[in-house]
Amino acid sequence: MPTPMQHLLAEVSAHHFPNPSATADQVDSFESRVGWQLDSDMRAFYLHCDGATLFAPRERAPNYRILSLAEIERARITMRHEDSDTYGSASWYTLLYLQDGDYVLVDVGHPVDGRYVLLDAFHETYPAVEQIAASFSEFLAKALASGNAYFWLTE
């Protein structure tokens, strides 16, 4: 019986724009580079596709662009170009690019039930963040059901 994550991945493949899958070696290299391990949801996603755009291909500037493993980095470096506690927690990493310098972050420092929470990082108020999902699978389900809207801004 397929898991909820497998259903989400099938929807991404059927109706959206996934990248080719990451290899196990690429996942291992990523985890070695960043110093933390993907949770089970994220591991399943990246072994299925190494990033994706939802609702529109990348060249049409989609609202949701799930970063490839190579693009994920500490949020404070991406958003403020400095690796300093002044610019957010060291445990926050970019996961999705939302356009105009806005991101969804994953907080790898505080897993809940083995999964990482996701945070909204609006470029104008960063490092102030807001939790928007308790896991990647919850985020992906809500994003896919959103009709291409930022679901946490319309709830």
Side-chain angles (χ1 to χ4, degrees), residues 70-116:
E71 295 173 295
I72 295 171
E73 68 179 359
R74 191 166 278 147
R76 61 196 192 184
I77 295 171
T78 300
M79 298 189 74
R80 295 294 185 253
H81 310 289
E82 190 174 324
D83 198 4
S84 164
D85 289 343
T86 302
Y87 297 114
S89 172
S91 67
W92 297 346
Y93 282 78
T94 56
L95 189 62
L96 283 91
Y97 179 66
L98 304 175
Q99 296 188 26
D100 299 326
D102 299 329
Y103 287 84
V104 170
L105 311 180
V106 58
D107 183 356
V108 302
H110 303 94
V112 177
D113 296 327
R115 291 190 168 79
Y116 302 128

Side-chain angles (χ1 to χ4, degrees), residues 6-87:
Q6 289 169 324
H7 285 291
L8 295 170
L9 295 174
E11 183 175 342
V12 168
S13 289
H15 303 291
H16 300 277
F17 303 88
N19 296 343
S21 61
T23 65
D25 286 343
Q26 287 172 312
V27 169
D28 290 344
S29 293
F30 167 79
E31 291 174 337
S32 179
R33 174 176 65 87
V34 296
W36 51 272
Q37 294 187 331
L38 297 172
D39 66 20
S40 60
D41 289 346
M42 294 172 62
R43 180 174 299 280
F45 177 84
Y46 282 100
L47 289 172
H48 182 81
C49 55
D50 187 12
T53 59
L54 306 181
F55 303 101
R58 184 172 180 167
E59 60 273 8
R60 290 189 22 219
N63 283 345
Y64 291 100
R65 185 167 68 83
I66 304 169
L67 301 176
S68 69
L69 292 173
E71 295 173 295
I72 295 171
E73 68 179 359
R74 191 166 278 147
R76 61 196 192 184
I77 295 171
T78 300
M79 298 189 74
R80 295 294 185 253
H81 310 289
E82 190 174 324
D83 198 4
S84 164
D85 289 343
T86 302
Y87 297 114

Side-chain angles (χ1 to χ4, degrees), residues 1 93 99 103 129 140 142:
M1 173 176 254
Y93 282 78
Q99 296 188 26
Y103 287 84
V129 296
L140 188 57
K142 288 181 176 182

Side-chain angles (χ1 to χ4, degrees), residues 8 41 131-143 151:
L8 295 170
D41 289 346
Q131 182 176 324
I132 57 175
S135 67
F136 181 68
S137 58
E138 177 189 332
F139 178 89
L140 188 57
K142 288 181 176 182
F151 67 83

